[in-house]
Amino acid sequence: MTILGLPTAFVFVLVTVNLAVAEGVKEKSTRLGIGGTGVFCYQLPCPWRGVIDLTDPLADRLRPLWSGERIPDLVATPADKERILTAWEALECLKIEGAIITAATRTEPPVLRVDRILGACT
């Protein structure tokens, strides 16, 4: 049996390999600051809220990994989501372990994966 001239077994192998690669791609966890950046500006746009890399001591708070008024979509437990949303609205900052996953096209907002909350930013 063939599909579009290709043997069925070959098509099956291609689909299986693609699914295995897609499932194997996972952003590496890192320490991030999420919420208030501590930056206040007189002129917009201003990165008041965002996601900052806490592993880089030279990271510039004026250039966070992501910033905006709306929080990125969260992949987290319901309790972690509630805690993060509360901190976000209060312009507080939480340290988390997780990853920011950007879309390949860069036209869609990123997704923030939260593995665990470490506590308040210092």
Side-chain angles (χ1 to χ4, degrees):
M1 175 195 254
T2 61
I3 299 174
L4 300 176
L6 296 174
T8 304
F10 180 71
V11 172
F12 176 77
V13 169
L14 284 178
V15 170
T16 304
V17 169
N18 284 336
L19 289 174
V21 170
E23 287 179 4
V25 174
K26 184 176 179 186
E27 297 288 327
K28 185 178 176 185
S29 286
T30 189
R31 284 182 304 123
L32 300 170
I34 176 174
T37 61
V39 174
F40 296 97
C41 311
Y42 294 104
Q43 191 172 341
L44 294 177
C46 182
W48 296 4
R49 293 179 176 119
V51 179
I52 299 167
D53 182 0
L54 296 177
T55 61
D56 182 0
L58 301 176
D60 185 355
R61 288 184 176 264
L62 291 173
R63 292 180 180 81
L65 298 172
W66 181 88
S67 69
E69 283 301 307
R70 289 180 31 124
I71 193 166
D73 288 337
L74 296 172
V75 176
T77 65
D80 285 352
K81 277 185 184 182
E82 183 177 331
R83 188 169 172 199
I84 290 167
L85 290 172
T86 300
W88 184 271
E89 290 303 317
L91 278 176
E92 296 171 353
C93 180
L94 289 176
K95 286 189 283 188
I96 67 161
E97 203 170 84
I100 188 161
I101 305 162
T102 55
T105 61
R106 298 250 184 227
T107 58
E108 294 184 30
V111 173
L112 185 62
R113 189 190 76 231
V114 180
D115 298 334
R116 68 185 178 125
I117 296 175
L118 302 173
C121 298
T122 54

mmCIF file of all heavy atoms in Angstrom, residues 78-109:
data_model
loop_
_atom_site.group_PDB
_atom_site.id
_atom_site.type_symbol
_atom_site.label_atom_id
_atom_site.label_comp_id
_atom_site.label_asym_id
_atom_site.label_seq_id
_atom_site.Cartn_x
_atom_site.Cartn_y
_atom_site.Cartn_z
ATOM 1 N N PRO A 78 -2.243 25.355 39.272
ATOM 2 C CA PRO A 78 -3.221 26.410 39.594
ATOM 3 C C PRO A 78 -2.767 27.303 40.764
ATOM 4 O O PRO A 78 -2.946 28.517 40.727
ATOM 5 C CB PRO A 78 -4.497 25.637 39.930
ATOM 6 C CG PRO A 78 -4.370 24.363 39.154
ATOM 7 C CD PRO A 78 -2.901 24.037 39.178
ATOM 8 N N ALA A 79 -2.164 26.720 41.781
ATOM 9 C CA ALA A 79 -1.708 27.503 42.939
ATOM 10 C C ALA A 79 -0.577 28.454 42.531
ATOM 11 O O ALA A 79 -0.560 29.619 42.950
ATOM 12 C CB ALA A 79 -1.243 26.574 44.053
ATOM 13 N N ASP A 80 0.363 27.971 41.727
ATOM 14 C CA ASP A 80 1.462 28.830 41.267
ATOM 15 C C ASP A 80 0.935 29.944 40.371
ATOM 16 O O ASP A 80 1.379 31.095 40.468
ATOM 17 C CB ASP A 80 2.528 28.020 40.531
ATOM 18 C CG ASP A 80 3.396 27.195 41.472
ATOM 19 O OD1 ASP A 80 3.281 27.366 42.711
ATOM 20 O OD2 ASP A 80 4.187 26.371 40.970
ATOM 21 N N LYS A 81 -0.025 29.623 39.486
ATOM 22 C CA LYS A 81 -0.615 30.648 38.619
ATOM 23 C C LYS A 81 -1.236 31.763 39.449
ATOM 24 O O LYS A 81 -1.014 32.940 39.194
ATOM 25 C CB LYS A 81 -1.693 30.047 37.704
ATOM 26 C CG LYS A 81 -1.177 29.398 36.474
ATOM 27 C CD LYS A 81 -2.335 28.952 35.599
ATOM 28 C CE LYS A 81 -1.830 28.211 34.392
ATOM 29 N NZ LYS A 81 -2.898 27.799 33.490
ATOM 30 N N GLU A 82 -1.999 31.379 40.471
ATOM 31 C CA GLU A 82 -2.666 32.383 41.305
ATOM 32 C C GLU A 82 -1.645 33.265 42.018
ATOM 33 O O GLU A 82 -1.775 34.486 42.059
ATOM 34 C CB GLU A 82 -3.567 31.682 42.321
ATOM 35 C CG GLU A 82 -4.348 32.654 43.175
ATOM 36 C CD GLU A 82 -5.291 31.945 44.127
ATOM 37 O OE1 GLU A 82 -5.754 30.833 43.817
ATOM 38 O OE2 GLU A 82 -5.549 32.523 45.199
ATOM 39 N N ARG A 83 -0.603 32.651 42.558
ATOM 40 C CA ARG A 83 0.431 33.421 43.268
ATOM 41 C C ARG A 83 1.163 34.369 42.321
ATOM 42 O O ARG A 83 1.442 35.511 42.656
ATOM 43 C CB ARG A 83 1.411 32.450 43.929
ATOM 44 C CG ARG A 83 2.393 33.117 44.836
ATOM 45 C CD ARG A 83 3.155 32.117 45.655
ATOM 46 N NE ARG A 83 4.229 32.779 46.383
ATOM 47 C CZ ARG A 83 5.258 32.160 46.888
ATOM 48 N NH1 ARG A 83 5.361 30.850 46.788
ATOM 49 N NH2 ARG A 83 6.205 32.836 47.522
ATOM 50 N N ILE A 84 1.473 33.897 41.126
ATOM 51 C CA ILE A 84 2.180 34.723 40.144
ATOM 52 C C ILE A 84 1.295 35.872 39.667
ATOM 53 O O ILE A 84 1.753 37.011 39.561
ATOM 54 C CB ILE A 84 2.660 33.850 38.960
ATOM 55 C CG1 ILE A 84 3.797 32.945 39.428
ATOM 56 C CG2 ILE A 84 3.103 34.707 37.789
ATOM 57 C CD1 ILE A 84 4.152 31.839 38.463
ATOM 58 N N LEU A 85 0.025 35.595 39.373
ATOM 59 C CA LEU A 85 -0.882 36.652 38.916
ATOM 60 C C LEU A 85 -1.073 37.728 39.981
ATOM 61 O O LEU A 85 -1.119 38.917 39.671
ATOM 62 C CB LEU A 85 -2.225 36.060 38.501
ATOM 63 C CG LEU A 85 -2.211 35.220 37.228
ATOM 64 C CD1 LEU A 85 -3.554 34.529 37.019
ATOM 65 C CD2 LEU A 85 -1.848 36.068 36.018
ATOM 66 N N THR A 86 -1.159 37.320 41.241
ATOM 67 C CA THR A 86 -1.291 38.281 42.331
ATOM 68 C C THR A 86 -0.054 39.166 42.418
ATOM 69 O O THR A 86 -0.158 40.387 42.544
ATOM 70 C CB THR A 86 -1.520 37.538 43.667
ATOM 71 O OG1 THR A 86 -2.715 36.762 43.555
ATOM 72 C CG2 THR A 86 -1.637 38.502 44.827
ATOM 73 N N ALA A 87 1.125 38.566 42.339
ATOM 74 C CA ALA A 87 2.374 39.334 42.380
ATOM 75 C C ALA A 87 2.481 40.251 41.167
ATOM 76 O O ALA A 87 2.923 41.397 41.277
ATOM 77 C CB ALA A 87 3.570 38.383 42.448
ATOM 78 N N TRP A 88 2.079 39.762 39.986
ATOM 79 C CA TRP A 88 2.145 40.544 38.749
ATOM 80 C C TRP A 88 1.313 41.823 38.885
ATOM 81 O O TRP A 88 1.765 42.916 38.567
ATOM 82 C CB TRP A 88 1.651 39.704 37.575
ATOM 83 C CG TRP A 88 1.767 40.361 36.243
ATOM 84 C CD1 TRP A 88 0.842 41.156 35.633
ATOM 85 C CD2 TRP A 88 2.868 40.288 35.349
ATOM 86 N NE1 TRP A 88 1.300 41.574 34.414
ATOM 87 C CE2 TRP A 88 2.543 41.052 34.217
ATOM 88 C CE3 TRP A 88 4.104 39.641 35.379
ATOM 89 C CZ2 TRP A 88 3.406 41.186 33.131
ATOM 90 C CZ3 TRP A 88 4.963 39.774 34.300
ATOM 91 C CH2 TRP A 88 4.608 40.540 33.197
ATOM 92 N N GLU A 89 0.078 41.671 39.354
ATOM 93 C CA GLU A 89 -0.817 42.818 39.500
ATOM 94 C C GLU A 89 -0.306 43.821 40.531
ATOM 95 O O GLU A 89 -0.540 45.020 40.409
ATOM 96 C CB GLU A 89 -2.232 42.350 39.867
ATOM 97 C CG GLU A 89 -2.936 41.652 38.729
ATOM 98 C CD GLU A 89 -3.035 42.496 37.470
ATOM 99 O OE1 GLU A 89 -3.342 43.695 37.574
ATOM 100 O OE2 GLU A 89 -2.790 41.952 36.380
ATOM 101 N N ALA A 90 0.397 43.348 41.562
ATOM 102 C CA ALA A 90 0.911 44.215 42.622
ATOM 103 C C ALA A 90 2.293 44.782 42.287
ATOM 104 O O ALA A 90 2.900 45.446 43.125
ATOM 105 C CB ALA A 90 0.967 43.437 43.933
ATOM 106 N N LEU A 91 2.796 44.519 41.066
ATOM 107 C CA LEU A 91 4.144 44.945 40.646
ATOM 108 C C LEU A 91 5.226 44.382 41.553
ATOM 109 O O LEU A 91 6.257 45.009 41.781
ATOM 110 C CB LEU A 91 4.257 46.469 40.568
ATOM 111 C CG LEU A 91 3.730 47.109 39.301
ATOM 112 C CD1 LEU A 91 3.819 48.627 39.391
ATOM 113 C CD2 LEU A 91 4.482 46.635 38.073
ATOM 114 N N GLU A 92 4.980 43.188 42.107
ATOM 115 C CA GLU A 92 5.982 42.492 42.901
ATOM 116 C C GLU A 92 6.733 41.533 41.994
ATOM 117 O O GLU A 92 6.298 41.244 40.882
ATOM 118 C CB GLU A 92 5.322 41.726 44.042
ATOM 119 C CG GLU A 92 4.640 42.639 45.042
ATOM 120 C CD GLU A 92 3.807 41.868 46.055
ATOM 121 O OE1 GLU A 92 3.653 40.634 45.911
ATOM 122 O OE2 GLU A 92 3.292 42.522 46.969
ATOM 123 N N CYS A 93 7.861 41.052 42.453
ATOM 124 C CA CYS A 93 8.686 40.140 41.661
ATOM 125 C C CYS A 93 8.835 38.817 42.393
ATOM 126 O O CYS A 93 9.073 38.794 43.595
ATOM 127 C CB CYS A 93 10.062 40.770 41.415
ATOM 128 S SG CYS A 93 11.188 39.737 40.452
ATOM 129 N N LEU A 94 8.674 37.727 41.657
ATOM 130 C CA LEU A 94 8.896 36.386 42.200
ATOM 131 C C LEU A 94 10.044 35.720 41.450
ATOM 132 O O LEU A 94 10.140 35.828 40.234
ATOM 133 C CB LEU A 94 7.641 35.528 42.058
ATOM 134 C CG LEU A 94 6.463 35.863 42.934
ATOM 135 C CD1 LEU A 94 5.278 34.975 42.580
ATOM 136 C CD2 LEU A 94 6.810 35.709 44.403
ATOM 137 N N LYS A 95 10.896 35.014 42.204
ATOM 138 C CA LYS A 95 11.917 34.177 41.580
ATOM 139 C C LYS A 95 11.278 32.830 41.290
ATOM 140 O O LYS A 95 10.602 32.262 42.147
ATOM 141 C CB LYS A 95 13.105 33.967 42.513
ATOM 142 C CG LYS A 95 14.004 35.147 42.669
ATOM 143 C CD LYS A 95 15.252 34.797 43.425
ATOM 144 C CE LYS A 95 14.941 34.699 44.892
ATOM 145 N NZ LYS A 95 16.136 34.541 45.736
ATOM 146 N N ILE A 96 11.482 32.358 40.078
ATOM 147 C CA ILE A 96 10.956 31.049 39.713
ATOM 148 C C ILE A 96 12.053 30.226 39.068
ATOM 149 O O ILE A 96 13.078 30.753 38.633
ATOM 150 C CB ILE A 96 9.755 31.147 38.739
ATOM 151 C CG1 ILE A 96 10.202 31.682 37.380
ATOM 152 C CG2 ILE A 96 8.637 31.962 39.327
ATOM 153 C CD1 ILE A 96 9.241 31.386 36.261
ATOM 154 N N GLU A 97 11.810 28.949 39.008
ATOM 155 C CA GLU A 97 12.620 28.054 38.197
ATOM 156 C C GLU A 97 11.715 27.641 37.055
ATOM 157 O O GLU A 97 10.578 27.208 37.278
ATOM 158 C CB GLU A 97 13.028 26.844 39.026
ATOM 159 C CG GLU A 97 14.255 26.141 38.532
ATOM 160 C CD GLU A 97 14.703 25.118 39.560
ATOM 161 O OE1 GLU A 97 14.149 24.002 39.539
ATOM 162 O OE2 GLU A 97 15.573 25.459 40.366
ATOM 163 N N GLY A 98 12.160 27.842 35.832
ATOM 164 C CA GLY A 98 11.328 27.528 34.682
ATOM 165 C C GLY A 98 11.998 27.977 33.398
ATOM 166 O O GLY A 98 13.218 28.081 33.329
ATOM 167 N N ALA A 99 11.189 28.283 32.400
ATOM 168 C CA ALA A 99 11.724 28.681 31.095
ATOM 169 C C ALA A 99 10.728 29.573 30.384
ATOM 170 O O ALA A 99 9.522 29.429 30.551
ATOM 171 C CB ALA A 99 12.021 27.454 30.240
ATOM 172 N N ILE A 100 11.269 30.489 29.597
ATOM 173 C CA ILE A 100 10.431 31.299 28.723
ATOM 174 C C ILE A 100 10.595 30.709 27.331
ATOM 175 O O ILE A 100 11.706 30.539 26.840
ATOM 176 C CB ILE A 100 10.781 32.794 28.784
ATOM 177 C CG1 ILE A 100 9.762 33.612 28.009
ATOM 178 C CG2 ILE A 100 12.191 33.070 28.344
ATOM 179 C CD1 ILE A 100 9.750 35.072 28.358
ATOM 180 N N ILE A 101 9.480 30.341 26.737
ATOM 181 C CA ILE A 101 9.492 29.650 25.451
ATOM 182 C C ILE A 101 8.948 30.611 24.406
ATOM 183 O O ILE A 101 7.772 30.972 24.446
ATOM 184 C CB ILE A 101 8.648 28.365 25.517
ATOM 185 C CG1 ILE A 101 9.156 27.485 26.673
ATOM 186 C CG2 ILE A 101 8.683 27.631 24.190
ATOM 187 C CD1 ILE A 101 8.184 26.436 27.117
ATOM 188 N N THR A 102 9.813 31.039 23.510
ATOM 189 C CA THR A 102 9.395 31.988 22.482
ATOM 190 C C THR A 102 8.942 31.244 21.245
ATOM 191 O O THR A 102 9.448 30.173 20.925
ATOM 192 C CB THR A 102 10.529 32.961 22.115
ATOM 193 O OG1 THR A 102 11.684 32.200 21.741
ATOM 194 C CG2 THR A 102 10.895 33.843 23.285
ATOM 195 N N ALA A 103 7.970 31.831 20.566
ATOM 196 C CA ALA A 103 7.444 31.228 19.334
ATOM 197 C C ALA A 103 8.499 31.309 18.245
ATOM 198 O O ALA A 103 9.286 32.260 18.191
ATOM 199 C CB ALA A 103 6.180 31.951 18.902
ATOM 200 N N ALA A 104 8.517 30.345 17.385
ATOM 201 C CA ALA A 104 9.489 30.319 16.294
ATOM 202 C C ALA A 104 9.297 31.501 15.351
ATOM 203 O O ALA A 104 10.250 32.000 14.772
ATOM 204 C CB ALA A 104 9.378 29.007 15.526
ATOM 205 N N THR A 105 8.065 31.973 15.232
ATOM 206 C CA THR A 105 7.788 33.066 14.300
ATOM 207 C C THR A 105 8.054 34.434 14.905
ATOM 208 O O THR A 105 8.140 35.414 14.202
ATOM 209 C CB THR A 105 6.312 33.026 13.858
ATOM 210 O OG1 THR A 105 5.490 33.192 15.013
ATOM 211 C CG2 THR A 105 5.983 31.738 13.146
ATOM 212 N N ARG A 106 8.164 34.486 16.248
ATOM 213 C CA ARG A 106 8.371 35.746 16.971
ATOM 214 C C ARG A 106 7.203 36.715 16.848
ATOM 215 O O ARG A 106 7.301 37.838 17.276
ATOM 216 C CB ARG A 106 9.655 36.448 16.516
ATOM 217 C CG ARG A 106 10.896 35.684 16.765
ATOM 218 C CD ARG A 106 11.665 36.370 17.849
ATOM 219 N NE ARG A 106 12.928 35.715 18.057
ATOM 220 C CZ ARG A 106 13.364 35.421 19.251
ATOM 221 N NH1 ARG A 106 12.671 35.727 20.298
ATOM 222 N NH2 ARG A 106 14.516 34.835 19.398
ATOM 223 N N THR A 107 6.097 36.305 16.241
ATOM 224 C CA THR A 107 4.938 37.184 16.145
ATOM 225 C C THR A 107 3.937 36.898 17.263
ATOM 226 O O THR A 107 3.092 37.722 17.541
ATOM 227 C CB THR A 107 4.226 37.029 14.782
ATOM 228 O OG1 THR A 107 3.830 35.667 14.634
ATOM 229 C CG2 THR A 107 5.135 37.441 13.645
ATOM 230 N N GLU A 108 4.059 35.750 17.882
ATOM 231 C CA GLU A 108 3.174 35.390 18.976
ATOM 232 C C GLU A 108 3.898 35.612 20.300
ATOM 233 O O GLU A 108 5.117 35.511 20.362
ATOM 234 C CB GLU A 108 2.753 33.929 18.856
ATOM 235 C CG GLU A 108 1.905 33.661 17.631
ATOM 236 C CD GLU A 108 1.424 32.224 17.586
ATOM 237 O OE1 GLU A 108 1.241 31.628 18.658
ATOM 238 O OE2 GLU A 108 1.242 31.721 16.480
ATOM 239 N N PRO A 109 3.145 35.927 21.364
ATOM 240 C CA PRO A 109 3.801 36.127 22.652
ATOM 241 C C PRO A 109 4.407 34.827 23.165
ATOM 242 O O PRO A 109 3.976 33.735 22.776
ATOM 243 C CB PRO A 109 2.669 36.612 23.556
ATOM 244 C CG PRO A 109 1.411 36.281 22.859
ATOM 245 C CD PRO A 109 1.722 36.138 21.404
#
